[in-house]
Amino acid sequence: MPPSDSAISLDSFITFGDLLKYLRRRARLTQRELSIAVGYSEAQISRLEQNLRPPDLAALTALFISALYLEDEPELVARLLDLAAQARGEEPPRSGVVTFTRSVRQEVLENVRSVEENVLNNLPLQLTSFVGREREIRELIALFKEAKLVTLTGSGGCGKTRLALETAGRLGQAYRDGIWLVELAPILDPKLVLSAVTSKLGVPESRDIHLMNALTNYLQKRQSLIILDNCEQVVAAAAQLAGEILRVCPHLQILATSREILDISGEVQFRVPSLSVSSEHAIERNAHLPSEAEQLFVERARAVQPSFVLTDRVLPHVRQICRLVDGLPLGIELAAAKISVLSVEQIAARLHGSFQMLRGGRDSFPHHQTLEATIQWSYELLSESERVLLQRLSVFSGGWTLGAAEAVIPDEIIISREKVLDLLSQLINKSLVVAEWTLGDEARYSMLQTIHEFAARKLREAGGMEEMRSQHFNYFYSMAQDARLFGNEKGRWLERLEAEHDNLRLALAWSLETNIPEMGTAMILPILDFYWFRGFSGEARERMNAFLEIDSPASPTRALLLQKTGWLTRASGDYQKADELLRRALEMALEIGDKNRAAWALMDLSLSTREQGDNQQAINYSSLGLAYARESGETRAIGACFFNLAECHGQTGDLETSRRFWAQGLSLFRAERDQTHIAWGLEGLAGTAFLAKDYASALAFHLESLKFKAEVMDKLGIAYSFEGLAQVAAATDSPQRAAILWGAAEYLREAMNIPLESSRENIYISLQPAARAQMGNEPFDQAWKKGNTMSLEEAIRCALTPADNPSA
């Protein structure tokens, strides 16, 4: 860690976020690396640096100080804590004194070492202790010395997921490029398995490469472990994906959990046994050495009732409970959750009675029957309102928020809106619902898959599934209508929609199942940018094509669906189908008199035509689109038409006309404060200035554009800015700076799997051979590598601070 920069006064930092950003950059950590070190999400770190959320002083003291290497810099620590307290409206800690427990210090330092060694993961923090399974973990670690694919099999509730996560956590240092958990339980459509994996790994879709090829290209040189959790409902799709990956990725390994094997070549099956349970003889002898199952019961019972003690009188009853549930972790946890209202004797007696009634005795049952009986027993101990709530909560996919539950669940008879929170708390206390907390954010709730399936079956048997699905759709339809994916709210809405992605999938599927495609269409169109920005455009395109297959009369919504589906299809590179859809959209828009939609259809036709090489026809389409846009009076359509015309004329060499159109569009978007389009317009002006050899103006426009892009982390736009700035540097005798920025741009493009279009090479990369010749191969390659290995924040800072302003 470098020492504090004496040239920078601590008093110059007036907000916590500013100082945190400075310290993170000084430590050479990206936001993602810092998030891993302290256990926050990357979005939480971003909000802290933007002063959008108050810092937690305890977490700051225990985690951030060490992660930022500040233990030996008390003045910096004091200033950081002082600003944190100010942000919270509280008094700072006395004297800024910071203390660390040894365990917390060790945990944080291990996390930081993991970051330094580029070992990343998205494994969730476990809020409960892990008990037993040491033999199984040793066996699994040994298997991964050779095996490419290990599948943990067993019944629901036997602990497959928890064993997989614990094993992966202990394997962490073995995988240079990280361990990534992909939860497949919410995925019911096999076609969505591939996009679920690519989105979790951050592999964006590319118009030029099939998504599976993009995934294998991304993973081919990486040494990673992927955990495919809960594969059983999409086992064929999971097997196909695993097989494709393992065939071409020599350093990759997969750990799957499923109730059945994937059944592909090279798979090693590992059956997850129940926890060890003491024998009948041990019960009779009243032995004192607890088994794994008994240890788990005690741990979970103490979480509910801290005073619980495993006495000689209690031990036989605990052993009986563990034997009744066959040592299944879920069964044990459900039973232990009752310790606050029942004694162990009562739990054992009631559980035994439940098994007698359900299964006709205490014979040894298959695990799934035993677990079913355990859940049924827990279910029967609930009040009527709690049972109804549990049933209705199964309508959610991938979890839910309190607001969603309060909107979807209530009725006028059994559960009022005011009762939802109290009843939900009871289900959490009884281990039937899990609360997932992240500091400062809204809590989310979920159920284990086995309990979710049980509750959903009960809901269907009660005849309430259809009504709940309808109310679930209405809630997420309203959310989509309220989404604001432009302006200052864009980032918050993107995060919220991604958290609810599985629920959105379920709602859209319901619109098809119930033959209300017009509602599904009206739901997906307002949030289409979410699918685009977060890498799910293929999924959106497939869903929209399904809506188009259902006959529907001409309407503004139908015309919009045709146009947007055409837009996504063009982006995928299927120009023939895109043009067909866009012409249908244009015809329908003109038929119903929707000039705004006609303008957008013509703009997309212009883009498609230009990319196919007919620039004059592209100008014709954009000119007609501009006429329709002006008739409609819609500012965004007018501005976008100006930009399209600017690009077309720029490619013909008419730079003055191009500059005029860029300026006209930019003026409109500045008035609208539309940052995305402002950045686009500035970049267009930069390219035009470069072609006119006005390098000073080109530099100024590129820098202003980059600042807007960096604010919203438009990574593709940032890559263009790096390349444009590199081109300007090369043209003004700064080849080393050019090589660094080209290297940084290459890293971004490779990460996103999006190459530069050949039509733009003259503005962005045409001077690479000249810069290489000017520097020489080795120095040029070294500078390129420097940019290629920079963090995104470092590269942006480098791009925004040129040494000298070039003159024309």
Side-chain angles (χ1 to χ4, degrees):
M1 171 65 202
S4 179
D5 189 343
S6 58
I8 299 178
S9 168
L10 293 182
D11 291 335
S12 66
F13 297 101
I14 59 175
T15 70
F16 172 80
D18 289 340
L19 182 54
L20 176 63
K21 183 186 296 184
Y22 164 74
L23 293 173
R24 174 180 59 75
R25 289 174 171 174
R26 193 188 70 153
R28 300 181 66 81
L29 295 173
T30 65
Q31 288 184 341
R32 182 170 192 171
E33 289 167 341
L34 180 59
S35 73
I36 293 169
V38 301
Y40 278 38
S41 70
E42 189 174 355
Q44 288 173 306
I45 299 296
S46 176
R47 286 193 289 273
L48 281 172
E49 292 187 352
Q50 296 177 66
N51 297 299
L52 297 179
R53 58 164 288 178
D56 181 274
L57 293 179
L60 186 65
T61 302
L63 299 172
F64 282 75
I65 304 303
S66 182
L68 294 169
Y69 307 96
L70 299 177
E71 296 102 319
D72 299 324
E73 299 185 81
E75 291 184 2
L76 267 177
V77 171
R79 182 59 176 164
L80 188 65
L81 292 175
D82 182 43
L83 291 174
Q86 289 180 27
R88 298 183 61 86
E90 301 173 0
E91 290 295 323
R94 284 183 299 172
S95 303
V97 175
V98 180
T99 59
F100 300 90
T101 66
R102 181 171 181 174
S103 62
V104 168
R105 180 190 296 271
Q106 183 66 24
E107 178 183 351
V108 172
L109 290 177
E110 287 175 358
N111 281 339
V112 173
R113 279 199 297 272
S114 293
V115 171
E116 291 171 343
E117 296 167 8
N118 294 321
V119 177
L120 309 174
N121 72 74
N122 69 334
L123 302 181
L125 295 175
Q126 300 300 320
L127 303 181
T128 55
S129 58
F130 186 81
V131 176
R133 303 289 200 195
E134 290 300 325
R135 177 181 60 81
E136 288 87 347
I137 290 174
R138 287 195 300 271
E139 291 177 3
L140 283 169
I141 291 175
L143 283 176
F144 273 104
K145 293 179 180 178
E146 300 291 340
K148 298 281 287 179
L149 167 64
V150 177
T151 302
L152 306 187
T153 61
S155 62
C158 71
K160 298 186 294 296
T161 297
R162 191 65 190 272
L163 176 59
L165 295 175
E166 185 68 19
T167 302
R170 300 193 193 185
L171 283 168
Q173 299 298 319
Y175 296 96
R176 181 189 65 234
D177 298 303
I179 299 175
W180 305 102
L181 170 66
V182 182
E183 297 168 327
L184 296 179
I187 306 297
L188 302 179
D189 185 347
K191 296 177 182 178
L192 300 180
V193 170
L194 176 58
S195 62
V197 173
T198 55
S199 65
K200 188 64 68 173
L201 294 177
V203 181
E205 298 181 15
S206 168
R207 56 179 296 174
D208 300 315
I209 304 177
H210 186 276
L211 190 55
M212 176 57 78
N213 293 336
L215 175 61
T216 53
N217 289 346
Y218 178 82
L219 294 172
Q220 194 166 22
K221 296 181 181 180
R222 282 174 164 77
Q223 183 184 4
S224 295
L225 174 66
I226 296 177
I227 304 173
L228 300 178
D229 189 34
N230 286 301
C231 298
E232 52 270 1
Q233 78 284 358
V234 287
V235 67
Q240 181 180 0
L241 181 139
E244 292 277 354
I245 293 175
L246 295 177
R247 267 193 292 274
V248 296
C249 301
H251 308 296
L252 193 83
Q253 291 177 290
I254 295 176
L255 176 56
T257 74
S258 179
R259 297 187 196 179
E260 59 178 296
I261 61 172
L262 303 190
D263 197 20
I264 63 174
S265 177
E267 179 181 23
V268 176
Q269 181 182 10
F270 187 95
R271 293 188 181 276
V272 178
S274 299
L275 294 173
S276 63
V277 180
S278 298
S279 66
E280 291 279 7
H281 301 295
I283 293 177
E284 292 169 1
R285 294 197 305 269
N286 205 24
H288 289 276
L289 186 61
S291 65
E292 290 179 337
E294 292 148 15
Q295 291 176 48
L296 179 62
F297 183 94
V298 172
E299 288 276 345
R300 299 302 183 258
R302 285 176 177 166
V304 177
Q305 189 179 88
S307 61
F308 179 80
V309 178
L310 189 65
T311 64
D312 290 345
R313 182 183 63 81
V314 165
L315 181 57
H317 301 291
V318 171
R319 287 182 169 158
Q320 185 181 27
I321 292 168
C322 294
R323 286 182 56 79
L324 280 169
V325 299
D326 280 345
L328 291 171
L330 177 57
I332 293 169
E333 294 192 6
L334 290 173
K338 306 297 184 294
I339 201 70
S340 61
V341 291
L342 298 172
S343 67
V344 286
E345 296 93 333
Q346 290 173 312
I347 293 172
R350 287 172 176 255
L351 187 57
H352 183 275
S354 175
F355 274 76
Q356 291 281 7
M357 177 183 67
L358 291 168
R359 302 297 179 196
R362 266 195 56 196
D363 297 334
S364 179
F365 310 117
H367 282 169
H368 71 276
Q369 293 180 351
T370 302
L371 184 61
E372 170 77 12
T374 307
I375 298 173
Q376 178 70 36
W377 169 70
S378 294
Y379 178 76
E380 290 176 351
L381 293 178
L382 300 176
S383 67
E384 181 187 6
S385 297
E386 290 169 341
R387 292 183 195 176
V388 172
L389 179 61
L390 186 69
Q391 291 176 16
R392 294 179 181 177
L393 289 172
S394 70
V395 75
F396 293 104
S397 179
W400 65 90
T401 63
L402 177 61
E406 290 176 333
V408 174
I409 300 304
D411 58 32
E412 297 179 356
I413 301 173
I414 301 176
I415 301 178
S416 66
R417 179 185 176 90
E418 292 73 23
K419 291 174 62 177
V420 169
L421 177 57
D422 288 340
L423 292 172
L424 182 61
S425 300
Q426 291 303 314
L427 294 181
I428 293 170
N429 293 338
K430 295 169 184 177
S431 295
L432 293 167
V433 167
V434 178
E436 301 167 1
W437 292 96
T438 54
L439 291 176
D441 287 343
E442 185 176 11
R444 287 188 67 81
Y445 307 91
S446 62
M447 293 185 233
L448 292 175
Q449 186 66 11
T450 308
I451 296 174
H452 186 277
E453 292 171 2
F454 175 91
R457 188 173 71 251
K458 290 293 184 183
L459 181 60
R460 285 191 293 270
E461 290 171 357
M465 181 62 79
E466 186 170 343
E467 181 182 356
M468 283 297 102
R469 287 289 299 276
S470 177
Q471 292 181 200
H472 175 276
F473 175 84
N474 291 338
Y475 176 79
F476 288 100
Y477 175 87
S478 296
M479 176 184 290
Q481 295 294 309
D482 292 339
R484 296 291 178 266
L485 295 178
F486 289 96
N488 296 333
E489 295 184 82
K490 175 179 175 179
R492 180 178 68 85
W493 271 104
L494 286 174
E495 288 187 18
R496 183 178 180 187
L497 291 170
E498 186 156 10
E500 300 294 359
H501 191 184
D502 290 316
N503 281 310
L504 296 172
R505 285 169 169 155
L506 188 65
L508 290 168
W510 174 251
S511 71
L512 287 170
E513 292 169 23
T514 53
N515 199 29
I516 51 171
E518 65 281 356
M519 294 291 288
T521 298
M523 177 179 171
I524 197 171
L525 289 175
I527 57 173
L528 200 54
D529 279 352
F530 155 69
Y531 291 90
W532 176 259
F533 285 118
R534 293 299 165 98
F536 302 112
S537 58
E539 177 183 331
R541 190 169 63 247
E542 183 175 319
R543 187 71 72 191
M544 292 160 72
N545 279 319
F547 290 141
L548 285 173
E549 289 174 3
I550 301 172
D551 288 336
S552 181
S555 68
T557 299
R558 185 73 171 183
L560 177 60
L561 176 63
L562 283 164
Q563 182 248 315
K564 289 297 187 182
T565 309
W567 167 59
L568 288 176
T569 305
R570 177 195 61 78
S572 74
D574 188 348
Y575 297 116
Q576 182 177 352
K577 184 176 180 181
D579 289 352
E580 176 191 342
L581 290 166
L582 292 169
R583 288 191 180 98
R584 287 170 59 192
L586 176 60
E587 291 171 3
M588 186 175 292
L590 294 175
E591 177 188 341
I592 62 177
D594 188 343
K595 297 295 180 65
N596 177 52
R597 192 53 44 210
W600 284 103
L602 284 162
M603 276 187 284
D604 286 330
L605 277 169
S606 174
L607 288 171
S608 178
T609 304
R610 187 173 75 238
E611 289 171 10
Q612 294 175 71
D614 190 345
N615 200 59
Q616 185 55 53
Q617 183 58 44
I619 291 176
N620 295 339
Y621 280 138
S622 287
S623 298
L624 182 57
L626 178 58
Y628 285 138
R630 282 172 164 159
E631 288 184 44
S632 73
E634 213 276 332
T635 301
R636 285 187 62 228
I638 297 171
C641 284
F642 281 144
F643 284 178
N644 272 1
L645 284 165
E647 291 201 26
C648 291
H649 284 286
Q651 292 198 8
T652 68
D654 186 353
L655 299 184
E656 179 54 34
T657 302
S658 177
R659 188 204 62 76
R660 187 175 71 252
F661 278 127
W662 282 121
Q664 287 179 282
L666 180 60
S667 177
L668 287 176
F669 287 121
R670 283 193 187 279
E672 294 289 314
R673 298 183 179 179
D674 185 337
Q675 291 190 0
T676 300
H677 286 89
I678 291 172
W680 180 11
L682 288 166
E683 184 181 318
L685 285 172
T688 303
F690 175 82
L691 293 174
K693 301 188 184 310
D694 181 0
Y695 301 132
S697 295
L699 175 65
F701 286 134
H702 273 310
L703 290 174
E704 188 179 357
S705 177
L706 178 56
K707 290 175 184 177
F708 282 109
K709 294 169 183 175
E711 285 183 17
V712 296
M713 273 297 131
D714 174 5
K715 293 184 180 180
L716 179 57
I718 290 169
Y720 278 118
S721 290
F722 287 169
E723 290 159 340
L725 287 164
Q727 192 85 332
V728 171
T732 53
D733 296 323
S734 299
Q736 182 176 20
R737 172 176 166 77
I740 291 171
L741 292 174
W742 275 322
E746 180 191 58
Y747 176 80
L748 273 178
R749 287 196 179 275
E750 286 185 349
M752 295 182 291
N753 200 24
I754 302 176
L756 177 69
E757 305 94 314
S758 59
S759 63
R760 300 190 176 197
E761 289 180 359
N762 62 333
I763 299 177
Y764 295 103
I765 62 172
S766 62
L767 294 182
Q768 285 181 7
R772 177 181 288 275
Q774 186 176 354
M775 289 185 68
N777 286 332
E778 186 174 348
F780 183 88
D781 289 340
Q782 289 176 348
W784 187 289
K785 183 177 180 181
K786 179 179 179 180
N788 201 250
T789 56
M790 280 181 171
S791 70
L792 180 56
E793 289 81 1
E794 288 174 325
I796 291 172
R797 188 163 62 248
C798 173
L800 289 174
T801 54
D804 297 296
N805 289 335
S807 59

